[in-house]
Amino acid sequence: MLVSVICTVKNGEQFIEETVESIRKQTLLDWEMLVVNDGSTDSTASLLAKLCEQDTRLRIIETTGVGRGRALNLAIEEARGIYIANIDADDPAHPERLERQYNLLEKRKDIACLVSGSVMLQGTSEVTWPTVGDAELTKITAETLFKRNPINHSSLFIRKSTLQKIGGYDEAREVLFDYELWLRLVTRGHLIYETSECLATKRLHAGQSYEKRKRLRYLMATRKLKRSFIQQTSQRFKYYIFANVSVLYGLLPQTLRYYIKKATIKI
């Protein structure tokens, strides 16, 4: 098995079918998809069961609600692929995503983790994919991550051996599982690169946990996470400023954040 696509979902009936279908339409055929249904109380389970009947490459792991970190690690433990590709339940993928990311990492054995540009989606809007062509690779450094988190979790493509080596996702966390993973990777010497091709989507909608929970608490958790890694560097003061500015940005209304991201993310 070349690629294991992992996805965790809780009450994702609105978008889960579209997301799974985007993997079923991939040009790379040697994949499996593991979806952890983490205690959904809506129709997610029945929708996934129907999809399983249509494609044996789809496997479902049912839990009573173990939390995002544990759910992600469960999928990794069950994965049979050489590579792990994450996709969030509401972010459909480009049909060539797996093939292009696989080919790039096969050429660059020094890269541990490859992410991609993304198309921003607002609410229930449908994706219009830009033309993909020659990829330009940009290194994502610790300094980049101290300033902001430019990585879309739904574009993650990483060697399973690398994830296992660093211990997978931090199950003790309640939020920021992806951001903590990026910081841990780069500060331990693993290379993260971003391809300029837009192979993933990032959907902003009112149902996301970030929007439903108290936003300030989430933003302060982000600041605390950054500072825990920044304090290990020699340029702490400069990076502390960036950590504080990101809190102010996060307090902006969702619609305004959407347009700022759309203007800055590679699309």
Side-chain angles (χ1 to χ4, degrees), residues 83-101:
Y83 293 97
I84 300 290
N86 179 73
I87 189 167
D88 289 354
D90 45 10
D91 296 339
H94 189 286
E96 297 180 41
R97 177 197 165 186
L98 298 184
E99 181 177 8
R100 287 179 173 271
Q101 289 186 297

Side-chain angles (χ1 to χ4, degrees), residues 194-237:
E194 180 184 41
T195 171
S196 57
E197 299 173 302
C198 288
L199 304 175
T201 58
K202 180 60 180 176
R203 191 188 301 274
L204 297 178
H205 59 90
Q208 288 169 319
S209 58
Y210 171 80
E211 299 300 329
K212 292 190 294 184
R213 68 168 58 92
K214 291 183 178 179
R215 191 185 300 173
L216 183 59
R217 183 183 302 170
Y218 182 92
L219 294 170
M220 295 308 291
T222 304
R223 179 176 176 270
K224 181 179 179 181
L225 173 63
K226 287 183 181 179
R227 288 175 68 93
S228 68
F229 283 90
I230 288 171
Q231 67 184 5
Q232 304 171 32
T233 72
S234 60
Q235 301 183 61
R236 292 188 293 273
F237 180 73

Side-chain angles (χ1 to χ4, degrees), residues 26-259:
Q26 291 294 303
T27 54
L28 181 84
L29 301 180
D30 191 5
W31 57 264
E32 64 175 354
M33 185 174 188
L34 297 97
V35 181
V36 181
N37 182 24
D38 195 30
S40 294
T41 56
D42 62 2
S43 63
T44 296
S46 59
L47 291 172
L48 290 172
K50 181 183 70 174
L51 290 166
C52 273
E53 294 175 357
Q54 300 169 6
D55 200 320
T56 57
R57 293 172 295 181
L58 178 63
R59 291 195 284 150
I60 311 301
I61 301 171
E62 296 283 350
T63 78
T64 56
V66 296
R68 185 83 187 281
R70 181 59 189 145
L72 286 164
N73 284 337
L74 276 174
I76 294 167
E77 290 166 10
E78 293 293 324
R80 297 173 294 190
I82 299 170
Y83 293 97
I84 300 290
N86 179 73
I87 189 167
D88 289 354
D90 45 10
D91 296 339
H94 189 286
E96 297 180 41
R97 177 197 165 186
L98 298 184
E99 181 177 8
R100 287 179 173 271
Q101 289 186 297
Y102 169 77
N103 287 337
L104 284 169
L105 273 191
E106 281 293 290
K107 292 177 183 177
R108 290 289 304 272
K109 299 293 187 180
D110 58 315
I111 298 176
C113 174
L114 182 68
V115 296
S116 79
S118 302
V119 176
M120 297 298 298
L121 300 179
Q122 178 79 328
T124 59
S125 60
E126 297 183 0
V127 61
T128 300
W129 294 109
T131 303
V132 293
D134 294 334
E136 294 182 7
L137 297 182
T138 303
K139 184 178 180 181
I140 294 180
T141 65
E143 181 172 352
T144 305
L145 292 168
F146 290 156
K147 293 178 181 178
R148 63 188 183 93
N149 179 12
I151 301 175
N152 178 4
H153 195 202
S154 287
S155 72
L156 170 66
F157 199 93
I158 187 171
R159 291 181 175 83
K160 181 180 178 181
S161 58
T162 302
L163 268 179
Q164 291 174 320
K165 184 176 181 179
I166 66 167
Y169 290 85
D170 182 357
E171 297 181 14
R173 305 195 62 80
E174 295 182 0
V175 292
L176 303 168
F177 300 97
D178 54 340
Y179 204 175
E180 191 275 339
L181 180 66
W182 317 145
L183 288 164
R184 189 156 28 105
L185 279 166
V186 296
T187 54
R188 294 189 184 182
H190 298 285
L191 297 181
I192 301 178
Y193 274 78
E194 180 184 41
T195 171
S196 57
E197 299 173 302
C198 288
L199 304 175
T201 58
K202 180 60 180 176
R203 191 188 301 274
L204 297 178
H205 59 90
Q208 288 169 319
S209 58
Y210 171 80
E211 299 300 329
K212 292 190 294 184
R213 68 168 58 92
K214 291 183 178 179
R215 191 185 300 173
L216 183 59
R217 183 183 302 170
Y218 182 92
L219 294 170
M220 295 308 291
T222 304
R223 179 176 176 270
K224 181 179 179 181
L225 173 63
K226 287 183 181 179
R227 288 175 68 93
S228 68
F229 283 90
I230 288 171
Q231 67 184 5
Q232 304 171 32
T233 72
S234 60
Q235 301 183 61
R236 292 188 293 273
F237 180 73
K238 179 177 72 171
Y239 296 133
Y240 284 155
I241 293 174
F242 290 126
N244 293 332
V245 170
S246 66
V247 173
L248 298 177
Y249 167 79
L251 290 172
L252 296 174
Q254 186 193 67
T255 301
L256 183 54
R257 297 198 315 273
Y258 164 77
Y259 284 111

